[in-house]
Amino acid sequence: MAEAIFKALLLVFASTAFATTEAALGQRVPCYFVFGDSVFDNGNNNVLNTSAKVNYSPYGIDFARGPTGRFSNGRNIPDIIAELMRFSDYIPPFTGASPEQAHIGINYASGGGGIREETSQHLGEIISFKKQIKNHRAMIMTAKVPEEKLNKCLYTINIGSNDYLNNYFMPAPYMTNKKLSFEEYADSLIRSYRSYLKSLYVLGARKVAVFGVSKLGCTPRMIASHGGGNGCAAEVNKAVEPFNKNLKALVYEFNRDFAEAKFTFVDIFSGQSPFAFFMLGFRVTDKSCCTVKPGEELCATNEPVCPVQRRYVYWDNVHSTEAANMVVAKAAYAGLITSPYSLSWLARL
């Protein structure tokens, strides 16, 4: 997998001329819908009463529109996917979007969002995966988007990280780690995930890219809290493994049991190796680029940031830099980390 990620270098540094030519050819899919957590959120949490919001500097320091609520210094993964799919603009957040936007695409992702309803409740208001699907249903119904169009749209989902970071590996009020083993917890999450994917399928979703959970134990936050401050937290990464394994199996289950399903699994976990990061130009993989105060997770307001952001994997203590987002998005588009379909192939099916 490290070798596959390394090959993504060719895509990360694709020429501007190629991108311009591609953009002139029109959208690859008629619409694009985004679900998930802070990795995909592009501003939905700005209007919520929550501590999980980043509409302030230095977030967006490398984004033309400044701090928009994206949990990065620049573009996030859905932004880059939208570019690769030849959309003329980024997919807007659900909050503030009119129902008519459902004909083009909407981003429903919410920082802190999880598969379980109670996940991240200590942060304040959060839009869970269940509520995101409810919002999607309301928007497409109000806009009267034809099912045949919805069948051709692209759907990307990144959910599950907070069910570990802000639930299983958190103290009270969360009790899941005292009641369930790693395998039992993963099974419970997948049962819910299956139900939610079925709901999306009923609502017309056919081309769906499901992102697995990354090596959470290697985030600066978990290195500090569960890794003793010295190296990745092996226990956390071990807990995530059965979830990813079962999620990939769930994708194949849908492709087998639903004739029109064209689901694909995006494996972020396996490619996160020191060798791959080094060969891709990253030099700092265990520390945040921005200033994060002790015991915090997000960047401190208007505090210094690292001089060369592209050399860092992590922007704050959990979320990745635009450079890391670029690698994941382009590798998924090319099929280097997906199974069974690349995003580019998914668009053509």
Coordinates of all heavy atoms in Angstrom, one line a residue, residues 1-2 4-6 8 77 210-212 248 264-272 327-343:
M1 N 0.8 -1.2 0.0 CA 0.0 0.0 0.0 C 0.9 1.3 0.0 O 0.5 2.2 -0.6 CB -0.9 0.0 1.2 CG -1.9 1.2 1.3 SD -3.0 1.3 -0.2 CE -4.0 -0.2 0.1
A2 N 2.0 1.2 0.7 CA 2.9 2.3 0.7 C 3.4 2.6 -0.7 O 3.5 3.8 -1.1 CB 4.1 2.1 1.6
A4 N 1.7 2.0 -3.4 CA 0.6 2.6 -4.1 C 0.4 4.1 -3.8 O 0.2 4.9 -4.7 CB -0.7 1.9 -3.8
I5 N 0.6 4.4 -2.6 CA 0.5 5.8 -2.2 C 1.6 6.6 -2.8 O 1.4 7.8 -3.3 CB 0.5 6.0 -0.6 CG1 -0.7 5.4 0.0 CG2 0.6 7.5 -0.2 CD1 -2.0 6.1 -0.3
F6 N 2.8 6.0 -2.9 CA 3.9 6.7 -3.5 C 3.6 7.1 -5.0 O 4.0 8.1 -5.5 CB 5.2 5.8 -3.4 CG 6.4 6.4 -4.2 CD1 6.9 7.7 -3.8 CD2 7.0 5.7 -5.2 CE1 8.0 8.2 -4.5 CE2 8.1 6.2 -5.9 CZ 8.6 7.5 -5.5
A8 N 1.0 8.0 -6.1 CA 0.1 9.1 -6.1 C 0.8 10.4 -6.3 O 0.3 11.5 -6.7 CB -0.7 9.2 -4.8
I77 N -10.8 17.2 1.4 CA -10.9 16.2 0.4 C -12.1 16.3 -0.6 O -11.9 16.2 -1.8 CB -10.9 14.8 1.1 CG1 -9.6 14.5 1.7 CG2 -11.3 13.7 0.1 CD1 -9.6 13.3 2.7
V210 N -17.1 5.1 0.1 CA -17.1 5.0 1.6 C -15.7 5.0 2.1 O -14.9 4.1 1.8 CB -17.9 3.7 2.1 CG1 -17.8 3.6 3.6 CG2 -19.3 3.7 1.6
F211 N -15.3 6.1 2.8 CA -14.0 6.2 3.3 C -13.8 5.5 4.6 O -14.6 5.7 5.6 CB -13.6 7.7 3.5 CG -13.3 8.4 2.2 CD1 -14.3 8.6 1.2 CD2 -12.1 8.9 1.9 CE1 -14.1 9.3 0.1 CE2 -11.8 9.6 0.7 CZ -12.8 9.8 -0.2
G212 N -12.8 4.7 4.8 CA -12.5 4.0 6.0 C -11.9 5.0 7.0 O -11.5 6.2 6.7
K248 N -15.3 -2.5 4.7 CA -14.9 -2.9 3.3 C -15.9 -4.1 2.9 O -16.4 -4.1 1.8 CB -13.5 -3.4 3.2 CG -13.1 -3.8 1.8 CD -11.6 -4.1 1.8 CE -11.1 -4.5 0.4 NZ -9.7 -4.8 0.3
T264 N -17.8 1.7 -3.4 CA -16.4 1.5 -3.3 C -15.8 1.9 -2.0 O -16.3 2.8 -1.3 CB -15.6 2.2 -4.5 OG1 -14.3 1.6 -4.6 CG2 -15.5 3.7 -4.2
F265 N -14.8 1.2 -1.5 CA -14.2 1.4 -0.2 C -12.9 2.2 -0.4 O -12.1 1.8 -1.3 CB -13.9 0.1 0.5 CG -13.2 0.3 1.8 CD1 -13.8 0.8 2.9 CD2 -11.9 -0.1 1.9 CE1 -13.2 1.0 4.1 CE2 -11.2 0.0 3.2 CZ -11.8 0.5 4.2
V266 N -12.7 3.2 0.3 CA -11.4 4.0 0.2 C -10.6 3.7 1.5 O -11.0 4.1 2.6 CB -11.7 5.5 0.1 CG1 -10.4 6.3 0.0 CG2 -12.7 5.8 -1.0
D267 N -9.5 3.1 1.3 CA -8.6 2.7 2.4 C -7.5 3.7 2.7 O -6.5 3.8 2.0 CB -7.9 1.3 2.0 CG -7.0 0.8 3.1 OD1 -7.0 1.4 4.2 OD2 -6.4 -0.2 2.9
I268 N -7.7 4.5 3.7 CA -6.8 5.5 4.1 C -5.7 4.9 5.1 O -4.6 5.3 5.0 CB -7.5 6.7 4.8 CG1 -8.5 7.4 3.8 CG2 -6.4 7.8 5.2 CD1 -9.3 8.5 4.5
F269 N -6.2 4.0 5.9 CA -5.4 3.4 7.0 C -4.1 2.8 6.5 O -3.0 3.1 7.0 CB -6.3 2.4 7.7 CG -5.7 1.8 8.9 CD1 -6.0 2.3 10.2 CD2 -4.7 0.8 8.9 CE1 -5.5 1.7 11.3 CE2 -4.2 0.2 10.0 CZ -4.6 0.7 11.3
S270 N -4.2 1.9 5.5 CA -3.1 1.1 5.1 C -1.9 1.9 4.5 O -0.8 1.4 4.6 CB -3.5 0.0 4.1 OG -4.5 -0.9 4.6
G271 N -2.2 3.0 3.9 CA -1.2 3.8 3.2 C -0.4 4.7 4.1 O 0.5 5.4 3.7
Q272 N -0.8 4.8 5.4 CA -0.2 5.8 6.3 C 1.1 5.2 6.9 O 1.1 4.8 8.1 CB -1.2 6.2 7.4 CG -2.3 7.1 6.9 CD -3.2 7.5 8.0 OE1 -3.9 6.7 8.6 NE2 -3.3 8.8 8.2
V327 N -3.2 14.3 -1.5 CA -2.7 12.9 -1.8 C -3.9 11.9 -1.7 O -4.1 11.1 -2.6 CB -1.6 12.5 -0.7 CG1 -1.3 11.0 -0.9 CG2 -0.4 13.4 -1.0
V328 N -4.7 12.0 -0.6 CA -5.8 11.1 -0.5 C -6.8 11.2 -1.6 O -7.3 10.2 -2.2 CB -6.5 11.3 0.9 CG1 -7.8 10.5 1.0 CG2 -5.6 11.0 2.1
A329 N -7.2 12.4 -1.9 CA -8.3 12.7 -2.9 C -7.8 12.1 -4.3 O -8.6 11.5 -5.0 CB -8.6 14.1 -3.0
K330 N -6.6 12.5 -4.7 CA -6.1 12.0 -6.0 C -5.8 10.6 -6.0 O -6.0 9.9 -7.1 CB -4.9 12.9 -6.4 CG -5.2 14.3 -6.7 CD -4.2 15.0 -7.5 CE -4.6 16.4 -7.9 NZ -3.7 17.1 -8.8
A331 N -5.4 10.0 -4.9 CA -5.1 8.5 -4.9 C -6.5 7.8 -5.0 O -6.6 6.7 -5.7 CB -4.4 8.1 -3.6
A332 N -7.5 8.3 -4.4 CA -8.9 7.7 -4.5 C -9.4 7.9 -5.9 O -10.0 6.9 -6.4 CB -9.8 8.4 -3.5
Y333 N -9.2 9.0 -6.5 CA -9.7 9.3 -7.8 C -9.0 8.3 -8.8 O -9.7 7.8 -9.7 CB -9.4 10.7 -8.2 CG -9.9 11.1 -9.6 CD1 -11.2 11.4 -9.8 CD2 -9.0 11.1 -10.7 CE1 -11.7 11.7 -11.0 CE2 -9.5 11.5 -11.9 CZ -10.8 11.8 -12.1 OH -11.3 12.1 -13.4
A334 N -7.7 8.0 -8.6 CA -7.0 7.1 -9.5 C -7.2 5.7 -9.2 O -6.8 4.8 -10.0 CB -5.5 7.5 -9.5
G335 N -7.8 5.4 -8.0 CA -8.0 4.0 -7.7 C -6.9 3.3 -7.0 O -6.8 2.1 -6.8
L336 N -5.9 4.1 -6.5 CA -4.7 3.5 -5.8 C -5.0 3.1 -4.4 O -4.3 2.2 -3.9 CB -3.6 4.6 -5.8 CG -3.1 5.1 -7.1 CD1 -2.1 6.2 -6.9 CD2 -2.6 4.0 -8.0
I337 N -6.1 3.6 -3.8 CA -6.5 3.2 -2.5 C -7.9 2.8 -2.4 O -8.5 2.8 -1.3 CB -6.1 4.3 -1.5 CG1 -6.9 5.6 -1.8 CG2 -4.7 4.5 -1.3 CD1 -6.7 6.7 -0.8
T338 N -8.5 2.4 -3.5 CA -10.0 2.1 -3.5 C -10.2 0.7 -4.0 O -9.4 0.1 -4.6 CB -10.8 3.0 -4.5 OG1 -10.2 2.9 -5.8 CG2 -10.7 4.5 -4.0
S339 N -11.3 0.1 -3.6 CA -11.7 -1.2 -4.0 C -13.2 -1.4 -3.9 O -13.8 -1.0 -2.9 CB -11.1 -2.2 -3.0 OG -11.4 -3.6 -3.4
P340 N -13.9 -1.8 -5.0 CA -13.4 -2.2 -6.2 C -13.2 -1.2 -7.3 O -12.6 -1.4 -8.4 CB -14.4 -3.3 -6.7 CG -15.7 -2.8 -6.2 CD -15.4 -2.1 -4.9
Y341 N -13.8 0.0 -7.1 CA -13.8 1.1 -8.1 C -13.0 2.3 -7.7 O -13.0 2.7 -6.6 CB -15.2 1.5 -8.5 CG -16.2 0.4 -8.7 CD1 -17.2 0.1 -7.8 CD2 -16.1 -0.3 -9.9 CE1 -18.2 -0.9 -8.1 CE2 -17.1 -1.3 -10.2 CZ -18.1 -1.6 -9.3 OH -19.0 -2.6 -9.5
S342 N -12.3 2.9 -8.7 CA -11.7 4.2 -8.5 C -12.9 5.2 -8.6 O -13.9 4.9 -9.1 CB -10.7 4.5 -9.6 OG -11.3 4.6 -10.8
L343 N -12.6 6.4 -8.1 CA -13.7 7.5 -8.2 C -13.8 7.9 -9.6 O -15.0 8.2 -10.0 CB -13.3 8.7 -7.3 CG -13.2 8.5 -5.8 CD1 -13.2 9.8 -5.1 CD2 -14.3 7.6 -5.3

